[in-house]
Amino acid sequence: MVRRLVAGLAAIVLVAEAAVLVLVHIVLGRTTANQSMSIAGSDPEVMSRATYAMGAGMGAFLLLCAVLCALAALRDRPPGRFARVVLIAAAVTHAVLGMLAVGLVGWAAFATLMLILCLLVLILTLYPATARQADGTGPAEDGGGPAEDTPPPPPLGELKPTSP
């Protein structure tokens, strides 16, 4: 129950964050285009379009993360390998941006980014990774839970100790 709630909440928060970041980049792009200033000889139109492209890219990435979180919540199954990689990349990005936000924006932005980081880490830890067969082809027959740590059998021809 908690897993689904956390994944659903993370999906909603990531959609809101994507919308805010796209809006901020639109405002920055328009401001750059309206200023018509050159920074070290850069074309203002190129800088404006690059700002729009960065906003669209960040928004698309966050929406992808939100879709992966929503799928995990709806199915109540752990995210797959691709989804885990994407969510880990999002978590690392939020951690780095959080460190930068303290100095550049303030503690409120830091707290917001850390909240999103916590939601992403909770999704990754509450849903256990699926166990794979020995050849790596798919889930194990034991229901897909985590594999137990058992020592390997002794090699053939090895002598076993006997008790006196």
Side-chain angles (χ1 to χ4, degrees):
M1 177 66 183
V2 173
R3 297 186 306 190
R4 296 180 96 171
L5 180 67
V6 168
L9 183 62
I12 292 168
V13 169
L14 286 170
V15 168
E17 182 185 12
V20 167
L21 282 177
V22 168
L23 180 65
V24 165
H25 279 82
I26 288 172
V27 169
L28 288 174
R30 285 190 181 162
T31 304
T32 304
N34 291 339
Q35 291 292 322
S36 297
M37 293 172 48
S38 173
I39 298 175
S42 299
D43 183 19
E45 185 65 28
V46 172
M47 291 185 347
S48 176
R49 288 186 183 180
T51 304
Y52 292 143
M54 187 64 178
M58 289 174 64
F61 177 70
L62 290 172
L63 286 178
L64 172 66
C65 292
V67 167
L68 295 174
C69 291
L71 286 175
L74 291 174
R75 295 178 181 168
D76 198 25
R77 288 193 316 210
R81 180 176 292 159
F82 173 74
R84 282 192 174 274
V85 169
V86 170
L87 292 176
I88 288 170
V92 169
T93 303
H94 279 86
V96 171
L97 287 177
M99 290 185 292
L100 293 173
V102 173
L104 298 175
V105 182
W107 288 101
F110 172 78
T112 303
L113 287 168
M114 291 303 107
L115 171 74
I116 298 169
L117 172 66
C118 288
L119 288 173
L120 291 171
V121 170
L122 271 174
I123 291 170
L124 293 168
T125 56
L126 288 176
Y127 285 104
T130 56
R132 299 283 171 187
Q133 292 177 354
D135 59 357
T137 57
E141 283 85 19
D142 64 337
E148 293 183 27
D149 291 326
T150 56
L156 295 175
E158 182 178 326
L159 296 176
K160 295 182 184 177
T162 58
S163 60

